[in-house]
Amino acid sequence: MTGGAGLGGAGLVVVRAGALSTVQDLGRAGYAHLGVPRSGALDAPAHALANRLLGNPSGAATLETTLDGVALRALGPVTVAVTGAPCAVRAAGRPAAWSAPVRLAAGEVLDVGPALGGVRAYVAVRGGFAVPAVLGSRSTDLLSGLGPAVLRAGAVLPVGVPEGPVRGADTPRLPAPPAELVLPVLLGPRADWFTAASVAALGRSSYRVSSAGNRIGLRTEGGPPLVRVRGGELPSEGMVLGAVQVPPDGMPVVFLADHPVTGGYPVLGVVPAEALHLAAQARPGIPVRFTPLG
């Protein structure tokens, strides 16, 4: 990410990288058999909205920030948009719109402030971030190390050639980040490894989002541990996006985009992919409830 401006002659320099800022697109699906996770934006609707606002295709790469935002200096004129976790946005030192196109002149700095709710903000640029693709995706994969490096101050992010007109603010907005995370769970394939009482109590129990979570998985704490009825080890088997794996402490872990493709702890159920964007914006400490679907 230090090769200068992109094909459109534009680029953005990282002034402040934030706690964890990565390049993400829709991920590299289809390589699990090679041990490669899907990766991609955790809050896919927020990623898609940022691109739609600027006329980008949905697969254009954006930046995903974590909690404390990012600051970028434009090398040339660009148009950007910030969606996802609500936050203060400043352009050239002046307040700018959140979830709407913002124009930057050469030398001006976009400052995305700390999340006021939720966890992850998405920064799109018209033309998309044109970092090199690996296995068909520009996503940073924290587990396997594929894709561009985690952002560091001084890195240059090239910008691609725009493909469509700026859409503007006529796109519907997304729901606010959750104050309580409610996740539907399709039970199986290893629900029978747990006591019937534990499985029955899952929908009545409340957990909390643990600060130990990351892009690999949302960890929970504070609820009743799920009790296994079977001892012994489970041979490593394939894992899918949204799998609810239960480690020895009995606290459910929901696998997110950078999850491993295999695992050796039993999977109680699977959260449907369309519900996982809520997990992406769940701050540590908020309540978590699971609603079994069968």
Side-chain angles (χ1 to χ4, degrees):
M1 290 190 292
T2 58
L7 296 176
L12 290 155
V13 179
V14 179
V15 176
R16 177 175 58 83
L20 177 63
S21 299
T22 59
V23 178
Q24 299 295 336
D25 55 19
L26 298 180
R28 47 182 64 85
Y31 294 97
H33 65 295
L34 300 177
V36 177
R38 176 183 176 275
S39 197
L42 290 190
D43 188 342
H47 162 87
L49 174 59
N51 277 323
R52 286 199 306 273
L53 289 169
L54 301 179
N56 291 340
S58 61
T62 65
L63 298 184
E64 179 183 277
T65 74
T66 308
L67 288 174
D68 64 349
V70 72
L72 309 166
R73 177 169 54 83
L75 294 176
V78 293
T79 304
V80 296
V82 181
T83 65
C87 56
V89 179
R90 300 184 72 85
R94 299 182 297 273
W98 173 80
S99 197
V102 175
R103 182 76 171 169
L104 294 176
E108 292 184 339
V109 172
L110 173 76
D111 191 287
V112 179
L116 302 176
V119 177
R120 295 173 173 91
Y122 290 83
V123 183
V125 61
R126 186 168 181 247
F129 289 99
V131 299
V134 178
L135 295 178
S137 171
R138 295 182 166 92
S139 288
T140 299
D141 180 347
L142 298 181
L143 184 66
S144 68
L146 293 176
V150 173
L151 261 61
R152 295 288 184 266
V156 177
L157 298 165
V159 175
V161 178
E163 296 186 24
V166 173
R167 288 277 304 266
D170 59 343
T171 306
R173 296 297 183 261
L174 299 172
E180 179 185 45
L181 180 61
V182 180
L183 295 175
V185 179
L186 295 165
L187 294 178
R190 303 296 178 189
D192 59 348
W193 277 58
F194 302 91
T195 66
S198 283
V199 176
L202 183 65
R204 304 190 301 270
S205 302
S206 181
Y207 297 84
R208 295 188 307 271
V209 175
S210 168
S211 61
N214 51 28
R215 282 185 46 85
I216 295 171
L218 180 142
R219 295 182 177 274
T220 64
E221 62 185 13
L226 289 155
V227 179
R228 281 173 56 163
V229 71
R230 293 184 56 175
E233 297 297 322
L234 176 70
S236 188
E237 58 186 0
M239 295 288 120
V240 299
L241 183 68
V244 181
Q245 194 181 64
V246 184
D249 66 2
M251 295 293 108
V253 177
V254 182
F255 276 172
L256 302 178
D258 287 357
H259 72 84
V261 297
T262 62
Y265 296 133
V267 171
L268 173 73
V270 178
V271 175
E274 58 268 20
L276 291 177
H277 69 281
L278 298 172
Q281 299 296 0
R283 295 178 80 99
I286 73 166
V288 183
R289 287 194 299 109
F290 295 96
T291 57
L293 300 179

